[in-house]
Amino acid sequence: MVHMAAVGDEGDPSPTAAVGPDLAGLLGRSARGDEAAFAELYDATAARVHGLVVRVVRDRAQSEEVTQEAFLDIWRHCTRFDSSKGSPLAWMLTIAHRKAVDRVRSAEASKAREVTYEVTTAEREHDSTLEKVEVRLDQERVRRALASLTDTQRGAVELAYLGGHTHTEVAALLGIPLGTAKTRIRDGLIRLRDTLEVTA
Amino acid sequence: MNPDTHALAGAYAVNAVTEEERRSFELHLGQCADCRAEVAELRAAAATIAADVELPPPPALRASVLSAVAQTRQLSPLEETEAPAAAPAATPAPDGAPSPAEGSPAPVDAPVGAPLDGSAGVDELAARRRNRLRPWLAAAVAAAVLTVGGLVWQPWRDDAPPQLTATEQVLQADDAQRLELPMGTSEVVLVRSPSHKQAVFVADAMPSPPSGKAYQLWFDVPGQGMVSAGMIPTTGSAVTVMLEGDASTATGAGITLEPESGSEHPTSAPVALFSFA
Ligand SMILES: [Zn+2]
């Protein structure tokens, strides 16, 4: 495979690397009310943001609502983004992830009657979602980093981050003590951080 | 500081905490530079987990977002409180958003970010969700709203144990009985606490029900047979749901596929059966 050669063409989509367009610059212009800059920012990041949201929420129609909510939040808060304190993409994905988790949890708390529509939608959308998912070229790097986690760490981290579960639910799902799930999630993320050498 | 408190940094970074744990930990964040730095780094690391997934939203969403943006007021970079947003679609910042008090963005700087936004009354939707989730917490949420001024102060101590949701109380009960069964590609778990008289169903990868159908939960009650314990919401395949009814007198629980509106009695063979014996 020719990952290394190809990566430069597409830009490294990891949150810490420069991604094609100057996201920090676009956020800065957006913060001054520049809607055209925000449109560019949307174009540069929508697929990443929406991809994460769909991974967590699964249902297509709801994912679209969540992605829209996330971008509106990004618009409202970009006035307070400080590029010296973190990567723009990581900041944006953090906002989107929180929105997605909130949606999943509020949906679980509501009665099935209220989500009848989504039930049928989810089934219909599932396959087409997977078909359209584009596998990024730097997947190999992230996969290596994830592979550096122990199986138990990786399982706990994925249930928490992609499954949208609380650490208490992760413990219940895995049949492990409460403190253990909390520790596995943290240790797993720390190892991921150290392997990727990401910085906030 | 209780080392246990620092240990929540990972779960907090990926939103794997309850609202109560979040508030408690954010109080700690305000005092612990180590945890602030760690949360920022772990969030950046977590953001790579889904790096392999890109899914362009439908083109119509772009127009919808930009149209909403044109009607949505941005926050002042410095103000500590925010005016109500112009657009109804506007929602509050996750605590991942910048701390208003510090005018800085790093999600971690936001020990006060979430409570401020959430409590300032701007995020009615989220507040409503929280209330629906835990009606008995409504009073506490309302109390937090009243205490919010320029800076947030919460009426509980940093080291106080976070309040638990009803679901969490069952999952953490001393007498919790854990029953698991394979279903679909993974396992489903039923946790029952006789002392709380409640049971919680947890699944990470619930198979999608056929079109027009939904999963219904049942308690096996002596003398009454299978009694409905509610429907399983299947918005996503990850599910956590409290069963309706008294779990202490039931001798078992089951799951069947039923019409979306639910049935009075099971109309199909169970896809899962749990025995409490
Ligand atoms: Zn700490």
Side-chain angles (χ1 to χ4, degrees):
Chain A
M1 309 252 292
V2 288
H3 305 295
M4 299 319 287
V7 162
D9 298 334
E10 282 224 354
D12 184 336
S14 82
T16 49
V19 178
D22 169 19
L23 298 185
L26 290 174
L27 266 178
R29 283 166 56 201
S30 300
R32 295 189 289 278
D34 184 339
E35 292 172 27
F38 192 76
E40 272 187 66
L41 183 68
Y42 178 94
D43 292 338
T45 60
R48 278 296 301 277
V49 168
H50 194 54
L52 172 60
V53 168
V54 170
R55 277 294 288 268
V56 176
V57 176
R58 313 268 182 132
D59 173 72
R60 183 70 72 88
Q62 291 211 48
S63 295
E64 289 168 13
E65 290 175 15
V66 170
T67 296
Q68 167 147 352
E69 286 174 13
F71 272 104
L72 272 180
D73 250 19
I74 290 162
W75 167 253
R76 293 178 66 235
H77 286 85
C78 61
T79 47
R80 292 168 182 173
F81 175 76
D82 176 352
S83 59
S84 71
K85 298 209 175 176
S87 122
L89 189 53
W91 181 76
M92 295 172 70
L93 290 173
T94 296
I95 289 177
H97 185 259
R98 173 73 185 278
K99 286 281 178 206
V101 167
D102 283 352
R103 173 62 65 107
V104 167
R105 295 202 186 138
S106 74
E108 282 165 3
S110 63
K111 294 288 179 204
R113 264 179 280 306
E114 299 171 20
V115 295
T116 300
Y117 165 72
E118 288 84 4
V119 169
T120 51
T121 311
E123 191 197 12
R124 182 160 42 78
E125 302 280 11
H126 193 64
D127 287 339
S128 57
T129 298
L130 295 179
E131 281 166 20
K132 288 187 187 174
V133 165
E134 179 189 344
V135 178
R136 296 293 309 204
L137 290 174
D138 80 334
Q139 193 179 348
E140 201 55 41
R141 172 170 166 254
V142 173
R143 189 181 294 135
R144 273 199 303 273
L146 279 169
S148 74
L149 274 57
T150 66
D151 287 347
T152 55
Q153 286 172 347
R154 187 167 49 250
V157 166
E158 290 186 348
L159 282 175
Y161 189 71
L162 297 176
H165 293 290
T166 66
H167 68 93
T168 302
E169 292 166 352
V170 170
L173 280 165
L174 297 176
I176 56 178
L178 289 174
T180 306
K182 190 159 59 177
T183 304
R184 279 188 196 170
I185 292 168
R186 184 184 184 209
D187 290 350
L189 288 170
I190 287 173
R191 189 176 291 196
L192 191 58
R193 173 196 71 189
D194 293 346
T195 308
L196 290 165
E197 295 183 323
V198 295
T199 53
Chain B
M1 187 53 59
N2 179 349
D4 229 39
T5 307
H6 302 294
L8 201 61
Y12 176 84
V14 292
N15 296 312
V17 291
T18 63
E19 285 301 313
E20 294 71 44
E21 288 171 326
R22 180 188 307 285
R23 289 200 187 89
S24 172
F25 190 74
E26 283 169 351
L27 273 179
H28 171 68
L29 275 184
Q31 306 162 358
C32 181
D34 286 350
C35 280
R36 284 200 298 274
E38 182 173 314
V39 167
E41 291 167 2
L42 298 188
R43 279 186 167 154
T48 65
I49 292 174
D52 59 332
V53 179
E54 279 208 353
L55 183 65
L61 192 70
R62 183 182 193 273
S64 177
V65 166
L66 296 180
S67 154
V69 154
Q71 302 169 54
T72 301
R73 180 183 177 274
Q74 290 177 300
L75 301 188
S76 150
L78 297 175
E79 273 175 25
E80 291 182 352
T81 54
E82 53 187 67
T91 53
D95 62 319
S99 156
E102 302 176 29
S104 86
V108 215
D109 285 332
V112 300
L116 186 59
D117 284 342
S119 310
V122 177
D123 194 14
E124 289 182 34
L125 184 58
R128 253 183 284 137
R129 278 187 200 134
R130 277 194 296 274
N131 292 352
R132 191 168 64 210
L133 202 57
R134 292 180 281 284
W136 57 271
L137 254 187
V141 172
V145 171
L146 295 178
T147 59
V148 171
L151 289 173
V152 169
W153 182 87
Q154 283 126 333
W156 47 79
R157 301 200 334 272
D158 188 16
D159 56 353
Q163 290 172 293
L164 300 174
T165 64
T167 299
E168 303 261 328
Q169 287 179 21
V170 173
L171 295 178
Q172 300 185 13
D174 289 336
D175 65 344
Q177 176 186 14
R178 187 176 181 282
L179 305 160
E180 61 181 60
L181 286 175
M183 182 181 286
T185 55
S186 73
E187 288 184 329
V188 297
V189 180
L190 190 91
V191 178
R192 168 189 180 240
S193 163
S195 68
H196 286 76
K197 301 186 174 184
Q198 286 175 316
V200 173
F201 176 77
V202 187
D204 180 56
M206 196 73 185
S208 291
S211 183
K213 300 278 189 178
Y215 293 106
Q216 187 162 1
L217 292 155
W218 306 91
F219 273 131
D220 189 357
V221 182
Q224 297 179 52
M226 290 302 209
V227 176
S228 176
M231 309 297 293
I232 298 181
T234 36
T235 310
S237 60
V239 170
T240 302
V241 63
M242 174 89 74
L243 277 69
E244 298 168 11
D246 188 341
S248 64
T249 55
T251 57
I255 301 171
T256 60
L257 270 173
E258 301 294 338
E260 283 168 353
S261 56
S263 301
E264 201 165 332
H265 304 287
T267 63
S268 64
V271 294
L273 270 183
F274 303 92
S275 170
F276 300 158

